Amino acid sequence: AMGVEVDDIFDTDNDWLWKIEANYVAQLCMTAVLTVAPTRIALGGSIVKYRANFVSLLKKEFKKMIGEY
């Protein structure tokens, strides 16, 4: 919805873009944790597979949101 093709996103190293994406996925994970209390959350797909630092961004965003809960 940002007017960018998916293929163009994977070819860019714009940190702001990946922080936004990590924030969205972290919100999903937080909702799952607060709703059903899973012991693990499995993520897959091309973003997790091809973006080496995405998981670390995701963890940082998740920890920021969930705090000491």
Side-chain angles (χ1 to χ4, degrees), residues 1-2 4 7 10-12 16 19 21 27 29 31 36-38 40-41 44-45 47 54-59 64 67:
M2 292 174 46
V4 179
D7 292 336
F10 286 112
D11 292 334
T12 185
W16 64 270
K19 286 179 184 175
E21 291 297 322
Q27 288 177 40
C29 293
T31 301
V36 295
R40 290 191 175 107
I41 299 174
I47 292 176
F54 184 76
V55 174
S56 62
L57 284 172
L58 173 61
K59 287 180 180 180
K64 195 181 340 177

Side-chain angles (χ1 to χ4, degrees), residues 25-50:
V25 177
Q27 288 177 40
L28 172 70
C29 293
M30 184 182 70
T31 301
V33 166
L34 296 175
T35 305
V36 295
T39 56
R40 290 191 175 107
I41 299 174
L43 300 173
S46 55
I47 292 176
V48 175
K49 185 175 180 181
Y50 295 116

